[in-house]
Amino acid sequence: MNKCDNKSWRNDAVAKVTGKAKYTDDLKVHNLLHAVPVYTNSVHAKIIDIDFKDVEKQPNIVCVITAKDIRGRNRFGQIYHDCPIFADDKIRHNGDVVAIIVAEDRNSALEAASRIKIRTEELPPILDPVKAMNPKSFLIHEKNGTNIINSHKLRHGNIKQGFENSDIIIEKKFNTSFVEHAYLEPESAVCIPRFDGVMEVYSSMQHPFSTRRFVAAALGVKLSEVEVKTVPIGGGFGGKDDTASIIAARTAVAAKITGRPVKMTYCREWSIKESYKRHPYKVNYKLGLTKNGLMKAMEIKIIADGGAYCSVSPWVTWRSTVQCCGPYVIENVKCDTCVVYTNNVYTGAFRGFGSPQINFCIEQMVDIAAEKLGISPIELRLKNMVQQNSITITGQKLSDHTVSMQEVFDKVRLKSDYDKKYINCSFGKGNKDELYGIGLAISYRGMSLGAEGADFNSAIINVQQDGSILLETGIHENGQGSESVMILILAKELGVSKDRIRYRQPSTSNIPDGGTTVASRGTLMGGGAVVVAAKNLKKKIAEVIAPKLGCSIEHVRFEDERIFVSTGISSSSYSFDEAIKEMYRTQNYPYSFGTFKAPKVSWNEKKGQGNPYFTWVYGCQVIELTINRKTGKIKLLKAYAAHDVGRAINKPMLLGQFYGGMAMGAGYALFEDLKIKDGRIEALNFNRYRIPRASDMPDMKAIIVENHDLLSPSGAKGIGEPTMELMAPAIANAIYNATGKRYLNLPIKIKMD
């Protein structure tokens, strides 16, 4: 066997399955204090007074910290600085924290929390985003002068003429729900004030650099005075950025004031109460088509509930706007999107980032249109889906990568035998107790951040004298296996065994900020940086070894743990170890820094036109199900998913992303509904919040499609989000094909006659 045969594996697998991996709450530090948050029962209220004099006198209580103790900035955020570390002037949602209690032990802090007296003046809560948009509505943030956080628009072609040229017009209204991330590990932070004045932070976070910004802002110090170190994270799915960073900032303030290490670990109730959720959308769709099935015009209006704070709502809703028509070529489009402040729990990043809501709508609209036209959903999609060199609704020509929309579509149809099974759908007819349906949905997704922001990443390769290699990238390990992927990419590029490579424990003091590990960009951007750094390193090595091989550096080849001449003009070669020894002997460090910058994108905010993403991924999913005619119980039978990932680096982990996304998507479709009554979340634990069980899941089939992307140095793209965002529309279409009834609200609740 080739000794450089790098089989799929995880570098952290043994530590995690044996319990050796230490998560944030597992960390033990000498002289450690414990902190807990203090909430009110208010939803919207002015804070009159916080009385904690009696609490500070209690045994084991070290101090009570409020907004008055913040030496730096009390309000911060990813886009707008509107989210308080501690609520100061007002309570804007029921999860606002007014203080933390710091004690010698956790139980003492918990007991004291109920003794703090908070006087408030209650204000009318604004819980409906439509009402919040009314200029006469009570303002959540008075200084803004409006409850509208942000708006986007997209204009393409002539919408009036498009509808005039349409033979049929279909209009539907959709509603999606608040959804909890439901990660296994609740938020936790440990902050240690070091002797050198640096605040050392450990946290169950998704992005160390976001956490560093929040902590530095709250402490009023420079970024260099905060070092955030990475520890394993027990799930995130987008939910451990803002909230986790705020909790780390509160903990850091406590550590700074007391001069001692402080830990704050959330219970599940606090986590659900305070953390941001998936945006619920109210969406109106109007679609115009010709008799032969060509989509001529589409008009969309989107209202998103942003909750009490901005978070990343403008970025989430921008993606919704860009992808509002799904993977279809439509000449005339008008979309208006608005995200609004309310007194509900605030909303932010969640796997899919604005796509799941839109796909739920558009893919049902296509099936509705097909039925009205009397053609199959397959035929209608084939007539309108994007192909190579298609022009999108934002005016982008899809020419720089392989447009594999029809490829993934055809592969799923074949694997699932969709065309034959569709004929057997019940449509609510027949005498059988079990109604059968099969449904399909397709999508395209812009990769990485796109025009949301600066998109680049870096990698460091440091080869030691014995030939072992240290690797680090600006991508955070969120549990998805990114470290393993980076090691495999580097091993292939250098032609060495993965066993040589150790991923260095990341820290914000080791490597530059590479942006958040979101938008399915980890492998694309981090892996791209690794490839660039590896090429830089190979050039350095070749410059030293090429003269000894009697060739130019262009002819030096790295393979099978050796370095040799690729042209065959010389039979001499060096082992990798020998080459590294020669590097050190000649005082040439085998060290490399590489940066991958995303290709140029563009966006005109006024027109809603441009090239928003430099490359796209394509996916198709099918679901088979039955519904009991008497009880309405849904049984998911089989699910099929085909996605073009560019290049599959680690197939077992890739399949994990397929199956995990499909499971989460099934929950979004059928079960998950974070009910909020009068501004208060009703289900503060998993005993009342329904997520999918293993018994709810269908047999899942994954079809990996690979078209290496020329704009990605590694050839890979991403898969973290696409598999999640297609399940709800596929299930909705299957339910209709089983029952003959349309369900336009999430989660879907079957009502049988």
Side-chain angles (χ1 to χ4, degrees):
M1 184 179 70
N2 187 330
K3 59 186 173 183
C4 293
D5 182 19
N6 294 301
K7 291 185 177 180
S8 302
W9 109 117
R10 283 197 65 141
N11 64 323
D12 57 359
V14 173
K16 287 185 173 179
V17 300
T18 60
K20 291 181 180 179
K22 299 299 181 185
Y23 294 80
T24 305
D25 191 49
D26 294 323
L27 300 180
K28 293 180 173 61
V29 184
H30 176 66
N31 210 24
L32 183 67
L33 296 172
H34 296 265
V36 302
V38 178
Y39 303 95
T40 71
N41 192 43
S42 299
V43 172
H44 193 198
K46 290 182 180 179
I47 299 173
I48 305 301
D49 182 57
I50 305 172
D51 183 359
F52 50 84
K53 294 177 183 178
D54 293 339
V55 172
E56 288 188 309
K57 297 175 184 178
Q58 297 296 316
N60 296 324
I61 301 301
V62 176
C63 63
V64 177
I65 297 173
T66 68
K68 295 178 180 178
D69 298 300
I70 296 287
R71 300 176 186 177
R73 183 192 295 271
N74 185 47
R75 286 198 174 94
F76 205 66
Q78 302 278 15
I79 301 175
Y80 300 152
H81 294 170
D82 65 350
C83 191
I85 307 301
F86 296 102
D88 46 16
D89 59 336
K90 285 206 311 184
I91 300 296
R92 290 180 171 83
H93 82 106
N94 190 235
D96 274 343
V97 170
V98 296
I100 60 172
I101 298 176
V102 185
E104 295 289 345
D105 61 89
R106 182 176 171 87
N107 286 337
S108 296
L110 288 169
E111 195 279 331
S114 61
R115 297 175 180 271
I116 289 186
K117 300 173 183 176
I118 304 167
R119 286 197 300 121
T120 61
E121 178 187 322
E122 297 300 307
L123 300 171
I126 310 298
L127 305 174
D128 184 336
V130 176
K131 292 180 179 178
M133 293 173 67
N134 189 319
K136 296 181 180 179
S137 175
F138 207 98
L139 295 177
I140 312 297
H141 295 266
E142 292 83 353
K143 292 181 180 179
N144 293 358
T146 177
N147 284 327
I148 296 175
I149 298 174
N150 191 262
S151 61
H152 303 286
K153 68 179 182 181
L154 189 153
R155 301 291 186 268
H156 186 67
N158 186 320
I159 191 69
K160 182 180 178 182
Q161 188 172 352
F163 282 118
E164 288 175 353
N165 294 337
S166 300
D167 296 312
I168 67 164
I169 294 174
I170 301 166
E171 295 187 67
K172 295 292 179 182
K173 294 182 179 182
F174 300 84
N175 292 280
T176 69
S177 56
F178 282 101
V179 181
E180 161 67 22
H181 293 81
Y183 29 74
L184 184 62
E185 175 204 32
E187 295 81 358
S188 182
V190 174
C191 295
I192 304 169
R194 287 199 325 228
F195 68 91
D196 60 358
V198 171
M199 183 62 67
E200 192 170 292
V201 178
Y202 300 85
S203 175
S204 58
M205 79 228 140
Q206 286 188 224
H207 186 226
F209 292 95
S210 288
T211 299
R212 185 178 66 163
R213 286 193 290 272
F214 275 81
V215 170
L219 295 178
V221 300
K222 295 179 180 178
L223 294 176
S224 59
E225 295 180 54
V226 177
E227 182 174 5
V228 181
K229 293 190 173 183
T230 295
V231 290
I233 176 176
F237 313 113
K240 284 186 178 171
D241 203 339
D242 291 26
T243 308
S245 296
I246 291 168
I247 292 167
R250 293 180 192 134
T251 309
V253 170
K256 186 74 171 180
I257 290 173
T258 62
R260 291 171 60 181
V262 179
K263 177 189 285 188
M264 181 152 55
T265 297
Y266 270 37
C267 64
R268 183 64 59 189
E269 286 78 6
W270 300 341
S271 176
I272 293 180
K273 184 184 183 79
E274 187 178 336
S275 66
Y276 55 88
K277 315 302 177 189
R278 189 188 297 283
H279 293 77
Y281 278 23
K282 295 180 182 294
V283 189
N284 294 350
Y285 265 85
K286 181 180 178 181
L287 171 62
L289 306 95
T290 63
K291 291 179 181 178
N292 63 357
L294 287 178
M295 297 182 187
K296 299 300 292 183
M298 192 173 290
E299 185 173 5
I300 308 102
K301 295 179 181 178
I302 303 169
I303 298 175
D305 189 339
Y309 304 112
C310 172
S311 186
V312 293
S313 286
W315 295 338
V316 172
T317 51
W318 177 75
R319 181 179 283 274
S320 302
T321 306
V322 170
Q323 298 177 194
C324 65
C325 292
Y328 302 105
V329 178
I330 306 177
E331 296 175 353
N332 308 289
V333 180
K334 177 182 179 182
C335 178
D336 288 292
T337 303
C338 195
V339 59
V340 187
Y341 285 122
T342 67
N343 290 119
N344 291 313
V345 61
Y346 71 114
T347 46
F350 200 149
R351 191 177 194 172
F353 209 76
S355 293
Q357 298 95 321
I358 292 303
N359 288 335
F360 175 69
C361 305
I362 182 63
E363 285 303 286
Q364 287 201 79
M365 289 294 291
V366 174
D367 268 32
I368 292 168
E371 182 180 42
K372 191 159 187 176
L373 288 167
I375 63 177
S376 76
I378 296 293
E379 182 182 349
L380 187 57
R381 285 178 172 85
L382 287 172
K383 281 179 178 287
N384 294 280
M385 68 170 58
V386 291
Q387 305 282 352
Q388 198 70 43
N389 297 317
S390 287
I391 305 298
T392 71
I393 61 171
T394 70
Q396 180 174 1
K397 186 176 182 180
L398 300 176
S399 59
D400 292 337
H401 64 282
T402 300
V403 178
S404 54
M405 188 71 263
Q406 186 165 342
E407 182 181 359
V408 296
F409 187 62
D410 291 342
K411 286 183 182 295
V412 166
R413 285 175 62 198
L414 180 63
K415 184 74 173 179
S416 66
D417 203 13
Y418 180 89
D419 296 35
K420 289 183 179 178
K421 291 176 179 177
Y422 180 76
I423 298 172
N424 297 323
C425 289
S426 302
F427 293 101
K429 301 174 183 177
N431 298 318
K432 294 181 179 180
D433 287 341
E434 297 294 326
L435 301 171
Y436 171 80
I438 187 170
L440 176 147
I442 66 175
S443 73
Y444 73 168
R445 178 179 183 84
M447 281 305 299
S448 204
L449 300 180
E452 291 173 23
D455 203 3
F456 58 108
N457 209 278
S458 64
I460 295 171
I461 304 170
N462 189 355
V463 187
Q464 307 303 295
Q465 293 185 30
D466 62 358
S468 60
I469 303 169
L470 294 174
L471 170 65
E472 185 175 3
T473 72
I475 290 297
H476 186 242
E477 171 61 61
N478 288 342
Q480 77 277 39
S482 66
E483 293 180 359
S484 306
V485 165
M486 303 307 162
I487 290 172
L488 291 172
I489 290 174
L490 179 57
K492 183 178 186 299
E493 287 296 318
L494 294 183
V496 300
S497 169
K498 67 182 186 304
D499 298 329
R500 283 186 178 271
I501 306 167
R502 178 170 291 277
Y503 202 93
R504 186 182 179 194
Q505 183 180 14
S507 159
T508 54
S509 297
N510 294 352
I511 195 165
D513 186 350
T516 52
T517 306
V518 296
S520 304
R521 68 189 289 270
T523 301
L524 174 59
M525 298 305 297
V530 170
V531 171
V532 174
K535 289 181 177 179
N536 293 342
L537 177 62
K538 288 194 288 186
K539 182 180 178 183
K540 281 187 175 184
I541 296 173
E543 287 173 346
V544 172
I545 301 301
K548 298 182 178 299
L549 295 175
C551 67
S552 64
I553 61 174
E554 291 81 9
H555 293 143
V556 175
R557 186 175 177 181
F558 293 71
E559 190 175 317
D560 292 335
E561 297 274 356
R562 300 198 70 81
I563 300 169
F564 54 91
V565 183
S566 61
T567 59
I569 61 175
S570 172
S571 60
S572 61
S573 67
Y574 278 70
S575 70
F576 188 80
D577 289 342
E578 290 170 338
I580 296 304
K581 287 179 181 178
E582 186 64 18
M583 292 287 288
Y584 276 95
R585 190 188 70 78
T586 57
Q587 300 178 46
N588 288 282
Y589 284 118
Y591 174 96
S592 176
F593 177 79
T595 302
F596 173 49
K597 300 177 182 178
K600 188 178 180 181
V601 293
S602 64
W603 188 250
N604 185 317
E605 188 67 36
K606 292 182 179 180
K607 297 180 180 179
Q609 293 290 286
N611 294 355
Y613 298 100
F614 69 88
T615 193
W616 297 72
V617 294
Y618 303 87
C620 176
Q621 289 177 208
V622 165
I623 189 81
E624 291 183 71
L625 53 76
T626 59
I627 300 174
N628 187 280
R629 185 188 294 275
K630 296 178 181 178
T631 66
K633 181 177 175 57
I634 299 171
K635 183 177 181 180
L636 302 181
L637 303 175
K638 293 182 180 180
Y640 305 83
H643 292 268
D644 186 348
V645 301
R647 171 187 159 210
I649 306 295
N650 191 329
K651 288 190 177 181
M653 287 199 300
L654 178 60
L655 292 175
Q657 290 294 318
F658 267 81
Y659 302 143
M662 293 162 81
M664 184 173 278
Y668 186 49
L670 299 175
F671 307 116
E672 299 191 50
D673 185 12
L674 192 82
K675 293 187 180 300
I676 299 176
K677 184 177 181 180
D678 300 328
R680 298 174 181 87
I681 298 171
E682 292 187 304
L684 291 175
N685 213 319
F686 294 149
N687 60 345
R688 295 183 63 193
Y689 182 75
R690 177 78 157 86
I691 58 177
R693 305 182 182 103
S695 58
D696 295 317
M697 296 311 300
D699 178 36
M700 294 181 282
K701 305 291 185 184
I703 305 167
I704 299 171
V705 177
E706 295 183 80
N707 290 291
H708 290 203
D709 199 305
L710 298 177
L711 297 176
S712 166
S714 70
K717 294 198 261 195
I719 194 61
E721 293 165 289
T723 56
M724 183 271 155
E725 60 195 30
L726 279 178
M727 284 295 279
I731 288 173
N733 285 334
I735 288 173
Y736 177 79
N737 295 339
T739 64
K741 295 181 180 179
R742 274 283 159 201
Y743 293 88
L744 306 181
N745 300 326
L746 285 175
I748 298 170
K749 300 296 182 184
I750 300 296
K751 296 180 180 179
M752 304 304 294
D753 293 334

